[in-house]
Structure formats: C-alpha cells, structure tokens
Amino acid sequence: MSDLVIRVPWPGRQADGPESSLTREWLVTNGLGGYASGTLAGIITRRYHGYLTAALPAPYGRMMMLNDLVERVQLPTGEFAQLGGEERAGAPLNLHGAEYLSEFRLESGVPVWRYELDHVTIEKRLVLPHGQNTVYINYRLLSDGDPIQITLRPSLHFRPHESPVSVELDPSYVLMVAEDRYEVSLSNLPPLRFFLYGAKAALTIDKIRVQEIIYRIEERRGYPARGDLWSPGYFHAELTKGSDMTLVASTEPWETMRTLSPDEALASEPERRAALLEKAVANAAAIQGTAAELVFAADQFIIRPAGRLHDAARARAVGDEVRTVIAGYHWFTDWGRDTMISLQGLTLATGRYQEAAWILRTFLHYVKDGLIPNLFPEGQNEGLYHTADATLWFFHAIHRYTQATQDRSVLRLALPKLVEIIDCHMKGTRFGIGVDPADGLLKQGAEGYALTWMDAKVDDWVVTPRRGKAVEINALWYNALCLAECWLREAGRREDSARAGAAARKACESFNARFWYEEGQYLYDVVDGPEGDDSACRPNQVLALSLDYPVLDRRHWEPIVETARKKLLTPVGLRTLSQDHKDYKPKYDGDLRSRDAAYHQGTVWAWLMGPFIDAWLKIHPDETARAAEFLKGFEPHLRDACVGSISEIFDAEPSYTPRGCVAQAWSVAEVWRCWRRCHAAEGFKDEAPKGSVLTRPLA
C-alpha cells in the first residue's frame, strides 16, 4: 500500500501553510460523470466544489446536490475546533482546519486527511462507490483517550453544476424523516438521502439559510461569486478509537445506497484500483510512483454516461455497453476530439481494450454528414458537430485500437462509415469543411466558428479562427487517407483503395509545396487563409511528422523538432505560440475575455507533449531516456493543483502556474502514453506502433 500513496505533508502551522492549502484541490469520480471535489483546506472556492455532484439522466445532467459540509470537533476538554467550512461575506476567513491538517494523501486514489488537534488525531476518508451517485465520508479516531463529539452540517443548493452560485436559492426544500433515514427533496429532482453510521448518531433539525458564501476562484475568474446555501440541520455522533463515524449521502434508492456498509465501501475502491493496475501492466505488484498515479488518474475520465439512456439501450441491444470520455473536470462533458486523442493513453495503455471498443462504437453511431460530434452538451442526448479535426482523429484512434488489440471487428463495422466520411470531405460538408480540388488540401472555416482544437470564442469573437488550410488538419487528413487506403486494400476494395491513395499523394505533394516556410525554417500554421498564409510559429506543425503516416518530407523533420524545442517546449508541455509573436500572451488569468485571449496565444498545453515526444523519437529512436526527461516536470505537478492528476493548461513562462481544468483527459492520457513508451525497458510494453516509421513517396 505504501507504494501507492501520494503524500502531501502539510506544514499547517507555518506562516504560508494554511493559505496555500486553498490552491491545491482533490477530485474523486464515480464512473458516471459525477464527482466530489474541493480544496485541501476544506473551503469551497469554485462553483464546482462539493461533496456530491450527481450524474442524473437527461434533461438534468450533472447536479450539485451536497455543496458543503462544515465539520466541528468537540474535544474531551470541551473546546471546539472546526476542520472545514465556507468563506462568508463580512467574516474573516477561517483556515483553522488547514492549521490542524498535518497531512493530505491519496491511498490508491482515495483522499485521506489527517488532523492533529492537541493530543487528538483524526483521519477522514472519502469514497464514491463506482457506478453510484453516492458519497461515503468516514471519520476515524487514531489517538487513545476519551471519546470526542463530531458535528457535521450539510449545506445544499440543488442546481446544475455549471450554474452560477448566485442562482436564487429555492425556498421549498422539504426534509422527510423516517426513523434514522433522512431525505431532502425539491420539485422533480431525485431526493438527496442521508444516513449516519456511528455511536449515538442523530440529526438536530433547524433548517437554516447560510447566507453569502464567497467563492474566491469564481470571483477571480470574473463570474458571480456569492450565493446562499440551505441546511436541514446538523448531524452529530460520538467518535471513539475503533468505532468510526460515516456520513452517507446519495441520490440512489435506499436499497442501493444501503447495500455497502462503510467498511465495504472503503475497501471496494482500493480493490477496484488494484484491478486497474493488473490490467495496465503485467507485473502490477511492482508498479508504483508515477506509473500508478497516472493509471489511477486515467480512470477518472472513462465513464458510463448516466444521462444518455438512449445510448445505453442501443448499446445493450447489440451486446455492448456505452462508454465515453469526460474531457476534463470540472466543466467539460465528452468531446469527440479529446476522446479520440485520449483513447490510446486512457484505454489501450491501461489494458482497457473492451472499453476502447465501446467508446469507438458509441461515436460511430453519431457520424453525420461525415463528421463525429465535437461535444455532447450537458444533459442532452444529441451532439454538436462544429469540428474539423475530431473526425480525422477518429481514424487515428481506430488504427491504434486495431494495432494494440489485433481485433478487426471495430474496423470492419466502421469501414463503410469511414468511406462515407472521406466522400463527404471530398465533396464538401458542413462548416466549409472540404477538399480543394485544385491541390487536394483540406480547407475549413465558417463565420462565427472555431473548428480546430484552438477553439477559443467569446461571444462573437473567435480568437484563433484559423480559417483556410490549417497545418494539423491536413496532416490528419493525409494520415486518414493513408490508413483508409490500407484498410480498403485489405478488404478487397481496390478501386476505393486506389482513390484514397491518389487523394493522399496529391495532398502530400501540395502540402510539401505549400506549407514549408523557408525564412523561419518551420511550417506555416495556415495557408490560403482570409489574410493569406499565416507564419505564426505554433505547435500544430509537429503533427506533420508525429502521426503514423507523416505528411512532411523527411528532410524537414529535424528543423521542425528543433524549432519546437527552442521556441515552444516547456517542462509541462508546448506553448501554443512562440514568444516572439506580437499576439503572444505569457499568462492565462483574469476574466473570461482575458483568459480566452491567451488560451491559444502562448498558454502551455500538456497534451502537446505527446506529439512532440513522438516526433522527437522518430528522429532519435534510440534516445528514449532523453525523451523521458521531457516528462520530468509532470512528477512534481502530480502533487500540485489537483493532487494526483494533470491540469489542462499552464502559464507560458516560469513558474508555469497550472490553469484551466484541474484534471484534463488528454493531458493525463498523453503523458501516461509517452511515460510508458519511454520506460518500455522497465517492463512497460511500448504502446506506440510497431515496426519502422510509416512513410510514402511523394509520387
């Protein structure tokens, strides 16, 4: 067990200890898209912080059900100590809980807080049983001595988890009590059920309104930052050594909620995670440190979307299960692009092959007009399709799945749709996506849309529209054509194969004639845009050689990688724009407009480390140890920001402050995929494509 623990020793009584405990967060997920999250200090600072965000069927989506829990301890001396709570307007910030916190750790991904109060030591654990909208919050007395009393005040504001905290608090909450069972209900939502395990357990009912909670991160980000909560009362129980206290809160039926005892719930999650390690590596007993942390982090994003009942019914009718990928916590849903980029790292590199197949078949059902969805909005069953690259990443993901598993059933099922996708792109489809017949390159662009992964938009302002022929879109298009050519030839469809091959050769020849920027010794980011060719130095060009079929001529590989290393590489990913560009922004902060202005204008993205390492190893195939050095910056980060995961983005200059989502799927996926590849000699199978680099001549 000690090898599977992330420890964050906490100098709570030092001058900077309590305040900095507000900048580190924890996250626990339930495999449905639901989660619990907060700061190590126990102070809620985001609209998304709470002990239970339940994933409910459409049209509800993810709902904040249990927002806060104020914990007070009465010591044997009669003194009181508060372990956590909210920041309230007009009152000093209470960080005493952080001062008492001596250690925070993750045990196989389960968060554990240790509090030292004079001669009393308490540990708190939190578990969300997999596949349930239920949370267990356990308290254990470790020190000898007299019993202590613990009081827990739950505070609620049932609302969609992305709704502003300022949304008016509904006054019609109803509390129902039946012996030792408690239910809070509001209109048509499932009720929130409570049960308290412990000696002399009871609820004192007072039904109070907790006014003007301040959410400091929302305030910093320019969103409404004050709101009220409602509390039905406070639970209390006696805690003695050897006799725990556990509060259970759930939106599940009583019979589901009460199936697992606290001991069973606390034991189930480490057991489940041990099984994840068994799938991920041959010698699970030897896995520890960064490898185990990344496997556990990857698990948080693979979900059975509880809200999409139609998907589940359709999948089960053919013997499947529905799976998808949450792009990031807290606010993202499942995005097509993120899912396809992440699929190898989250599933294939963790041995979760069946789930990979389920994900691919789920998205296959949604192909429309030659596109897969860009995203599924919260609480809805239908996707939005405004993306030029997600569908091309779909080819890449199917290829990597087929290589890793040698299972061709997904490919056989998908092949007719893949041909349809190519046909739609050749003829032209929605959002101006289509092949230019003059040169065979893929163009894209529609007024008011950002169709590439650089998709920041504020109101009507598209920050990086990149309309025209974008470099990575054409690298992905060429890769997709080459894959289709091979697949169709193997299927005996020679005419279709020849057509895909001819389109690939034409695109390749045009790409190398058009995209090389001689003056800068790198690739244009966009050609034939509304304002001509864009010579901004961006990381998108790395995909021209990192993919399985590199579109870029071999003689240009080294200059591209060297340019990326000198101008874009940081310890935590690649900058999205070189520092010498007039639009470069060194910091991602402030209100929404300020942040989106910097989102792809210098801000570092962790996922880009994956394509960079792939490109590096194509030039230096024997230098995996050097490639592993590029990943070193993520190891300390696993104890920062969201402990045990990797953030979405970082500021573009030291100290590379983590920003954006605190846990991002493609960040974790690409770091784990490359980490595993670079440590293949230590017993981790290389998940990269086997054999030599795939290339094709220009003619």
Side-chain angles (χ1 to χ4, degrees), residues 242-302:
S243 180
D244 294 359
M245 167 185 175
T246 304
L247 179 65
V248 186
S250 178
T251 62
E252 303 290 345
W254 278 109
E255 56 270 24
T256 302
M257 174 183 173
R258 296 293 304 277
T259 296
L260 294 177
S261 70
D263 287 345
E264 289 171 327
L266 292 171
S268 65
E269 193 59 14
E271 289 176 11
R272 191 184 72 84
R273 289 170 183 256
L276 294 178
L277 297 183
E278 292 283 351
K279 286 183 179 181
V281 295
N283 184 12
I287 191 171
Q288 57 181 316
T290 302
E293 292 162 22
L294 290 171
V295 170
F296 295 152
D299 174 64
Q300 295 183 316
F301 303 100
I302 302 171

Side-chain angles (χ1 to χ4, degrees), residues 476-531:
L476 286 161
W477 172 237
Y478 175 78
N479 188 63
L481 288 170
C482 292
L483 290 171
E485 179 188 13
C486 295
W487 292 334
L488 290 164
R489 184 173 60 245
E490 292 168 359
R493 299 174 60 170
R494 295 186 179 181
E495 186 176 331
D496 289 334
S497 174
R499 188 163 59 91
R505 285 188 291 274
K506 185 174 183 178
C508 185
E509 184 174 3
S510 297
F511 185 96
N512 284 279
R514 297 295 314 281
F515 275 93
W516 180 248
Y517 177 49
E518 180 66 29
E519 182 180 341
Q521 291 291 291
Y522 57 83
L523 299 181
Y524 284 107
D525 189 55
V526 178
V527 299
D528 292 348
E531 299 178 2

Side-chain angles (χ1 to χ4, degrees), residues 48 63 177 219 246 262 312 334 380 394 449 511 526 558 594:
Y48 305 99
M63 297 289 296
V177 180
E219 188 171 50
T246 304
D334 44 341
Q380 297 184 28
F394 190 39
Y449 288 95
F511 185 96
V526 178
E558 289 193 41
S594 299

Side-chain angles (χ1 to χ4, degrees), residues 129 132-136 174-185 190-197 203 235 246-261 264:
Q132 287 190 37
N133 288 308
T134 303
V135 61
Y136 287 73
V174 175
L175 173 66
M176 298 181 63
V177 180
E179 296 182 350
D180 52 1
R181 298 182 177 189
Y182 310 94
E183 290 188 2
V184 176
S185 58
L192 180 64
R193 299 181 169 94
F194 290 100
F195 190 88
L196 181 63
Y197 293 87
L203 171 69
F235 292 97
T246 304
L247 179 65
V248 186
S250 178
T251 62
E252 303 290 345
W254 278 109
E255 56 270 24
T256 302
M257 174 183 173
R258 296 293 304 277
T259 296
L260 294 177
S261 70
E264 289 171 327

Side-chain angles (χ1 to χ4, degrees), residues 190-256:
L192 180 64
R193 299 181 169 94
F194 290 100
F195 190 88
L196 181 63
Y197 293 87
K200 303 179 182 178
L203 171 69
T204 297
I205 299 171
D206 58 10
K207 298 182 182 180
I208 67 168
R209 188 181 185 110
V210 185
Q211 295 184 318
E212 281 213 282
I213 307 298
I214 298 175
Y215 298 78
R216 57 170 56 198
I217 291 182
E218 300 301 310
E219 188 171 50
R220 193 185 76 199
R221 290 165 63 88
Y223 296 119
R226 299 189 180 199
D228 295 351
L229 302 175
W230 180 84
S231 176
Y234 52 93
F235 292 97
H236 43 92
E238 186 175 84
L239 191 61
T240 59
K241 188 173 183 180
S243 180
D244 294 359
M245 167 185 175
T246 304
L247 179 65
V248 186
S250 178
T251 62
E252 303 290 345
W254 278 109
E255 56 270 24
T256 302

